[in-house]
Amino acid sequence: MAGRGDPPEGTPEGLPGGGEDEYGSVVFDESFVRAARLQEFSARERMGDHARAVRSRPGWRVWTGAKQAVLLVLLIAVAFGTAIYMGVRHPYQPAPAQPAEALRSMVIPLAPQGPVPGGDPDRLYAHSPAAEYRSGGAGITLPAARPTRNFSESQVMTALTIAKDYLVDSSLDPAVLNGTSTRPVRALLDPDQIEQFDRSVDAPVNDGRHAATGWLVRFDPAKTKLADPEIRVHGTLRVTDAGPNTLEVTSDHTFTYALRPADTAPRVNDASLFTVRRELHFRFDRDDLRTHRAELLSSYTQAGPMACASDPSGALEPLLAGQRATGTGPAGTDPYQTGRTAAAFCGSLAPGAQSAPPAAQPAT
């Protein structure tokens, strides 16, 4: 009996390979036939005049290189447009910058409990709590800058640097101290605070909002001048991450000035020390960091020796060598020590906060 797939008469003789069909392993199944691009017409279809032997079957057309390029460009355009849309609609975009708040300030005069000590500036400094303080901007040291949850190390350092620049320009610049210029301070303020600053400088009022001395240290050049340009400084700076878009810096520094009367020629032992402690609270959003500006939120100042009856809003009015205060405030306040005074409008300058040079020895 013939095997499966063999013709009834058996395998034809004369085939190569001992009668085996060399195409026997090729299977033209139904899927192969359907996939063919050309199909032969039947005998009946070929009987017609000018009939073709084969016809094309419907199937996928081969894309040309140009069509593939067009498709690729369309895909890229769709992806790019989607990326832009998601960027605009991203729910985690940083919050828009808020308008700067108005400055809140307080200036507390510290009245001496006796006559103001006078002397040579070097001797006064040597016998005061400021003896070991550095001079000028060297006394405003920056802490190590470390990254926070929302800001990089470089952004933290930028905030600290702006705060130091503000302290230098508002507390140490001779032109600012004598009232001839406010530009260095104004240039460092957020634009939203410029109007308040200008009003405070042009028409100062001791109302907690518009005192010029809330923004800067200023003396009346008709009454007071520096006896020594080397101002002694000591204090600290502290950084706080206040949110995704806000850094805050708090400064607490004591500035000690050697002053003398402006309307007389310098004389021996006519200098005296005047101490100003400033606590400033700065706020920086990302735009402030980029433009090197600051928002000054609050300013707390203790200054003495100064009479309680003085008006410190426009300029500080120091009591100079040999002068006394007509009244004193509650408790003794030391501007060289940290911590707030309990006095609301005036305090009493602690004796230890003033220079105590030894009395001159009589000539023999």
Side-chain angles (χ1 to χ4, degrees):
M1 183 176 179
R4 183 179 178 181
D6 293 333
E9 299 83 3
T11 304
E13 296 182 0
L15 291 177
E20 295 183 359
D21 187 355
E22 61 177 320
Y23 300 104
S25 61
V26 179
V27 180
F28 297 99
D29 58 9
E30 184 178 356
S31 61
F32 178 85
V33 174
R34 285 201 305 267
R37 297 296 310 281
L38 298 178
Q39 183 181 33
E40 184 177 8
F41 286 101
S42 64
R44 182 180 297 277
E45 290 171 329
R46 290 198 301 270
M47 290 176 63
D49 294 338
H50 309 296
R52 293 178 298 171
V54 296
R55 64 167 174 262
S56 296
R57 300 189 64 186
W60 291 97
R61 295 184 178 180
V62 179
W63 283 79
T64 63
K67 292 181 178 179
Q68 290 176 340
V70 171
L71 178 60
L72 180 61
V73 170
L74 288 175
L75 290 174
I76 292 174
V78 171
F80 187 68
T82 302
I84 293 177
Y85 175 80
M86 292 301 294
V88 173
R89 301 287 295 177
H90 199 287
Y92 301 106
Q93 291 289 329
Q98 299 295 322
E101 297 180 15
L103 169 68
R104 294 172 284 107
S105 64
M106 178 180 291
V107 182
I108 299 178
L110 301 179
Q113 300 181 36
V116 177
D120 175 78
D122 290 338
R123 292 183 69 239
L124 292 171
Y125 276 132
H127 295 88
S128 78
E132 303 301 322
Y133 288 4
R134 294 181 179 181
S135 298
I140 304 174
T141 57
L142 301 182
R146 295 182 175 86
T148 68
R149 180 177 181 180
N150 297 293
F151 293 87
S152 66
E153 178 180 332
S154 63
Q155 290 173 317
V156 172
M157 178 55 69
T158 297
L160 289 169
T161 301
I162 299 171
K164 177 176 179 176
D165 289 346
Y166 189 94
L167 289 168
V168 170
D169 289 345
S170 65
S171 310
L172 302 174
D173 188 323
V176 173
L177 295 177
N178 64 25
T180 59
S181 176
T182 60
R183 183 180 298 275
V185 180
R186 191 179 191 272
L188 288 173
L189 289 173
D190 186 283
D192 291 339
Q193 292 189 312
I194 293 298
E195 182 179 355
Q196 184 188 9
F197 175 81
D198 289 342
R199 179 179 171 185
S200 301
V201 170
D202 296 337
V205 180
N206 193 19
D207 62 355
R209 298 284 183 176
H210 300 97
T213 48
W215 303 92
L216 46 82
V217 176
R218 184 165 70 176
F219 304 111
D220 185 346
K223 299 178 181 179
T224 307
K225 64 182 179 182
L226 287 174
D228 187 344
E230 298 297 323
I231 301 164
R232 307 301 175 91
V233 187
H234 181 71
T236 60
L237 287 163
R238 186 177 70 255
V239 179
T240 304
D241 187 331
N245 198 44
T246 307
L247 266 180
E248 295 184 356
V249 174
T250 302
S251 68
D252 186 354
H253 288 78
T254 299
F255 302 85
T256 305
Y257 306 85
L259 306 175
R260 61 166 38 103
D263 57 352
T264 61
R267 296 189 303 270
V268 177
N269 298 331
D270 69 341
S272 60
L273 298 186
F274 186 74
T275 305
V276 178
R277 181 181 169 210
R278 305 184 73 197
E279 293 181 63
L280 305 181
H281 185 186
F282 300 93
R283 175 180 292 170
F284 303 89
D285 59 28
R286 297 182 186 277
D287 190 53
D288 291 326
L289 297 176
R290 181 180 58 82
T291 58
H292 202 82
R293 296 176 185 269
E295 302 173 29
L296 184 57
L297 297 184
S298 65
S299 170
Y300 177 80
T301 303
Q302 299 172 355
M306 192 161 59
C308 289
S310 62
D311 179 6
S313 60
L316 301 177
E317 300 179 1
L319 292 172
L320 302 177
Q323 294 180 335
R324 292 174 176 266
T326 56
T328 60
T333 302
D334 188 349
Y336 291 95
Q337 299 295 325
T338 59
R340 292 288 180 91
T341 178
F345 301 102
C346 184
S348 177
L349 185 62
Q354 293 185 270
S355 177
Q361 297 295 325
T364 58

